[in-house]
């Protein structure tokens, strides 16, 4: 797809600090709108591939986040560029938050990785992955994956426990320290998303609910926020550091969720969410719902979304949630 090109890498604490200073200077606003990525005089992209907002291309950090009731409210989630919702054991869900254009001081609570994360992250260019741990059988797959793994054992200074909630829902990440420990995490690159004016297709939608076996998400359009207010299991979702969650675009990506070869310590089978392939999707933006198709031909390929008319679906500029829902 021609999205890789030559990338610059975030190296060490100096790179992470410089990246954060640049992002803060840009003063990004989640609900903004604008054009497609455009080059700066130096040839660098000055627009985020993930949000369509002004941003220099910084290293990509993915963080696996707990999402059961005792883990809420979250911290730092509102500053993620992308948030993926994934099914885990017992029909519950966890989040995979992707940061690049902005780094919050603190993110969490952090939980363990799953096999599905490895396929999902292949579309990024060697991202850093922060997680609390993984079962022993999965660790060789993580070590072999094209990513920079930064669990507590490899980056102990990047993690801290909070005293305001019980373990295991109290582990938090310092993103700058995680990127410094990652060393060679790749910069953001085109993963197939397109931003711009809304297509003529679609229908008015005040709200939409996605159900998992033991979790549900409702997205309600808020004109004041220019985004979709998030409710988890019937409760409005907010962060400890940024107020209500209201992504500009929500993608409900229907996919195959099958049993994997892994399980939890209680005997539950870990689901595997397939993100390579194709299927139907529903895109929520600007108070409307648009039926689309998604396609990702290979693990290293982009994920593209097209309308019923065969045109590339455009997202509203700002944070994007991708809800990987049972097909």
């Amino acid at each position: 797809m021609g999205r890789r090109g030559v990338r610059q890498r975030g190296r060490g604490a100096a790179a992470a600090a410089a990246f954060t200073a640049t992002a803060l200077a840009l003063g990004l606003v989640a609900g903004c709108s604008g054009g497609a990525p455009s080059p700066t005089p130096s040839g660098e992209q000055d627009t985020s591939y993930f949000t369509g907002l002004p941003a220099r291309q910084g290293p990509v950090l993915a963080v696996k986040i707990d999402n059961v009731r005792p883990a809420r409210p979250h911290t730092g989630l509102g500053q993620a560029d992308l948030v993926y919702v994934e099914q885990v054991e017992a029909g519950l869900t966890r989040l995979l938050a992707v940061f690049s254009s902005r780094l919050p001081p603190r993110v969490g609570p952090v939980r363990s990785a799953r096999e599905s994360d490895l396929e999902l992250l292949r579309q990024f260019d060697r991202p850093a992955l922060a997680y609390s741990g993984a079962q022993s059988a999965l660790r060789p797959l993580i070590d072999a994956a094209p990513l920079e793994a930064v669990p507590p054992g490899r980056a102990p200074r990047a993690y801290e426990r909070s005293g305001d909630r019980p373990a295991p829902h109290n582990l938090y990440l310092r993103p700058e320290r995680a990127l410094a420990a990652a060393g060679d995490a790749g910069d953001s690159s085109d993963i197939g998303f397109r931003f711009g004016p809304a297509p003529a297709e679609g229908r008015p939608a005040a709200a939409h609910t996605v159900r998992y076996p033991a979790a549900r998400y409702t997205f309600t359009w808020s004109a004041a926020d220019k985004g979709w207010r998030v409710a988890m299991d019937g409760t409005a979702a907010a962060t400890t550091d940024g107020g209500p969650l209201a992504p500009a675009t929500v993608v409900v990506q229907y996919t195959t969720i099958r049993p994997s070869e892994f399980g939890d310590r209680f005997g539950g089978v870990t689901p595997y969410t397939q993100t390579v392939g194709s299927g139907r999707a529903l895109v929520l933006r600007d108070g409307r719902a648009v039926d689309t198709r998604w396609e990702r031909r290979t693990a290293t390929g982009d994920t593209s979304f097209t309308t019923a008319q065969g045109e590339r679906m455009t997202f509203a500029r700002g944070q994007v949630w991708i809800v990987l829902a049972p097909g």
Side-chain angles (χ1 to χ4, degrees):
M1 302 292 291
R3 69 181 174 88
R4 298 297 179 190
V6 178
R7 61 180 174 86
Q8 299 177 350
R9 299 177 182 269
R11 301 178 185 274
F19 158 74
T20 304
T22 301
L24 290 173
L26 285 169
L28 301 177
V29 179
C32 292
S33 60
S38 58
T40 63
S42 65
E44 296 181 51
Q45 295 290 335
D46 67 354
T47 303
S48 169
Y49 293 108
F50 305 154
T51 67
L53 294 172
R56 294 177 67 85
Q57 307 315 315
V60 175
L61 172 65
V63 185
K64 198 62 182 283
I65 296 180
D66 197 356
N67 196 36
V68 294
R69 289 183 187 272
R72 305 170 193 160
H74 300 99
T75 297
L77 192 60
Q79 296 185 58
D81 291 339
L82 310 173
V83 177
Y84 290 89
V85 180
E86 304 171 291
Q87 184 174 323
V88 292
E89 297 83 7
L92 297 167
T93 63
R94 285 188 183 165
L95 308 176
L96 184 68
V98 177
F99 299 86
S100 182
S101 61
R102 296 182 294 179
L103 285 183
R106 198 166 181 247
V107 175
V110 180
R111 287 302 298 272
S112 55
R114 294 295 185 271
E115 184 186 9
S116 297
D117 301 327
L118 307 183
E119 179 178 276
L120 177 60
L121 290 173
R122 286 287 301 279
Q123 62 190 317
F124 298 90
D125 198 0
R126 198 171 185 84
L129 173 61
Y131 57 101
S132 64
Q135 60 175 271
S136 58
L138 183 59
R139 289 170 192 163
L141 298 183
I142 296 175
D143 291 339
L147 53 79
E148 296 288 339
V150 282
R154 295 182 185 176
R157 293 187 64 253
Y159 292 86
E160 59 190 25
R161 291 282 180 184
S162 171
D164 63 357
R165 60 182 70 181
H169 314 295
N170 64 348
L171 182 65
Y172 290 84
L173 179 77
R174 294 288 186 179
E176 283 191 27
R177 295 178 182 179
L179 282 176
D184 203 23
D187 285 358
S188 59
S189 58
D190 186 358
I191 61 168
F193 295 173
R194 297 295 178 264
F195 297 86
E201 300 174 55
R203 57 190 178 277
H208 184 80
T209 297
V210 180
R211 298 181 185 277
Y212 292 87
R216 75 180 189 276
Y217 293 76
T218 298
F219 302 94
T220 302
W221 173 247
S222 169
D225 295 316
K226 296 183 179 179
W228 299 84
R229 288 285 186 105
V230 182
M232 300 176 182
D233 302 322
T235 301
T239 61
T240 62
D241 56 344
L245 291 168
T249 303
V250 176
V251 180
V252 184
Q253 182 176 335
Y254 294 98
T255 187
T256 299
I257 301 177
R258 59 170 174 78
S260 75
E261 297 180 359
F262 300 91
D264 62 21
R265 62 180 177 173
F266 304 107
V269 176
T270 300
Y272 187 94
T273 299
Q274 296 181 192
T275 53
V276 174
S278 61
R280 63 190 180 94
L282 183 71
V283 176
L284 306 175
R285 61 161 297 176
D286 303 318
R288 297 179 66 81
V290 183
D291 294 313
T292 64
R293 297 283 299 176
W294 69 270
E295 183 178 51
R296 182 180 170 203
R297 295 182 180 180
T298 65
T300 57
D302 306 332
T303 303
S304 63
F305 296 87
T306 56
T307 68
Q309 301 301 318
E311 302 292 334
R312 289 294 289 270
M313 179 66 202
T314 51
F315 297 170
R317 290 166 179 82
Q319 187 182 74
V320 179
W321 280 50
I322 304 94
V323 183
L324 300 172

